[in-house]
Amino acid sequence: GAGVSQSPSNKVTEKGKDVELRCDPISGHTALYWYRQSLGQGLEFLIYFQGNSAPDKSGLPSDRFSAERTGGSVSTLTIQRTQQEDSAVYLCASTLGGAVNEQFFGPGTRLTVL
Amino acid sequence: GQNIDQPTEMTATEGAIVQINCTYQTSGFNGLFWYQQHAGEAPTFLSYNVLDGLEEKGRFSSFLSRSKGYSYLLLKELQMKDSASYLCAVMGGYNKLIFGAGTRLAVHP
């Protein structure tokens, strides 16, 4: 596609359930980022993938959060045993790797944990 | 540690000029970005500075002083559609982009 896509656009789940959020980056973009944005807040860095290098997981808030990037393209963010404080918009962004480049953001997944 | 500070809220009048400041302390510096984010939408790119000085792009300009850890975004001829959050972000070491909390700008007639 022309831009970054994310699915689902909205997810409502019960506390304690696991959720998977998907990101399809722009074709050819080697770098992929996940951010979390709570209502009225800035973007909180979660994890960064660059090519085949080991991901930078320094922003993941707990071991309930994990992410994969298969084949250097699609990424999945998994939250296990969701808690109410996990409710937020989860944004994915991709960029051409190497030299610093503009990030292109997807529309986000709004997660609500009841 | 990493710290990016910007004002929480600003208001301005249609047609006026507004300057949104950003100060930063990060480990590594590979450039500073400004993004615009309308309510309920994803951020969109506005500007990128890596060298000291002013970058102008239409009604928007961005300034950087690396020695002072300081940037500003200047918006001229404000329009109602400029009401949005403006996010300052620093690209640190290993191309890790860290965002400030954002400045909510309200433009009124």
Side-chain angles (χ1 to χ4, degrees):
Chain A
V4 178
S5 61
Q6 293 185 244
S7 60
S9 55
N10 278 284
K11 176 71 176 179
V12 180
T13 190
E14 293 179 348
K15 178 181 173 181
K17 302 280 190 181
D18 297 351
V19 295
E20 281 191 354
L21 312 180
R22 177 187 169 106
C23 172
D24 283 88
I26 292 173
S27 177
H29 280 193
T30 59
L32 186 149
Y33 298 76
W34 282 98
Y35 296 93
R36 177 169 71 175
Q37 187 172 34
S38 301
L39 187 64
Q41 302 298 310
L43 275 69
E44 176 188 2
F45 168 81
L46 296 178
I47 188 168
Y48 161 53
F49 296 90
Q50 172 57 60
N52 294 322
S53 302
D56 179 345
K57 304 180 181 180
S58 60
L60 294 179
S62 77
D63 58 8
R64 296 187 295 106
F65 288 71
S66 63
E68 292 184 336
R69 189 176 185 196
T70 55
S73 181
V74 172
S75 178
T76 301
L77 177 69
T78 302
I79 309 173
Q80 296 178 309
R81 305 181 301 282
T82 52
Q83 303 294 313
Q84 288 185 331
E85 60 262 29
D86 299 334
S87 297
V89 174
Y90 289 81
L91 289 162
C92 172
S94 73
T95 185
L96 291 170
V100 176
N101 283 284
E102 167 193 350
Q103 291 196 334
F104 293 84
F105 282 84
T109 294
R110 181 174 298 278
L111 174 66
T112 303
V113 182
L114 301 177
Chain B
Q2 315 222 76
N3 197 41
I4 300 176
D5 288 318
Q6 49 182 133
T8 304
E9 292 186 353
M10 298 183 72
T11 59
T13 305
E14 192 175 17
I17 298 173
V18 70
Q19 177 174 314
I20 303 174
N21 296 324
C22 172
T23 58
Y24 64 90
Q25 290 178 306
T26 58
S27 49
F29 181 82
N30 286 315
L32 187 143
F33 292 78
W34 283 95
Y35 281 79
Q36 181 190 60
Q37 186 178 27
H38 286 99
E41 299 181 11
T44 56
F45 170 81
L46 288 179
S47 69
Y48 168 65
N49 294 67
V50 68
L51 299 176
D52 289 352
L54 188 68
E55 295 281 342
E56 297 186 76
K57 188 186 295 185
R59 293 189 299 115
F60 293 2
S61 303
S62 57
F63 172 83
L64 175 67
S65 169
R66 288 171 297 172
S67 62
K68 296 181 180 178
Y70 168 69
S71 173
Y72 67 72
L73 179 70
L74 193 71
L75 293 74
K76 303 176 186 175
E77 301 168 17
L78 280 172
Q79 302 175 10
M80 298 297 290
K81 68 178 182 179
D82 296 330
S83 293
S85 286
Y86 291 85
L87 309 175
C88 173
V90 173
M91 183 70 77
Y94 305 105
N95 288 340
K96 183 173 170 178
L97 191 64
I98 303 297
F99 281 81
T103 298
R104 284 192 298 279
L105 174 66
V107 180
H108 54 83

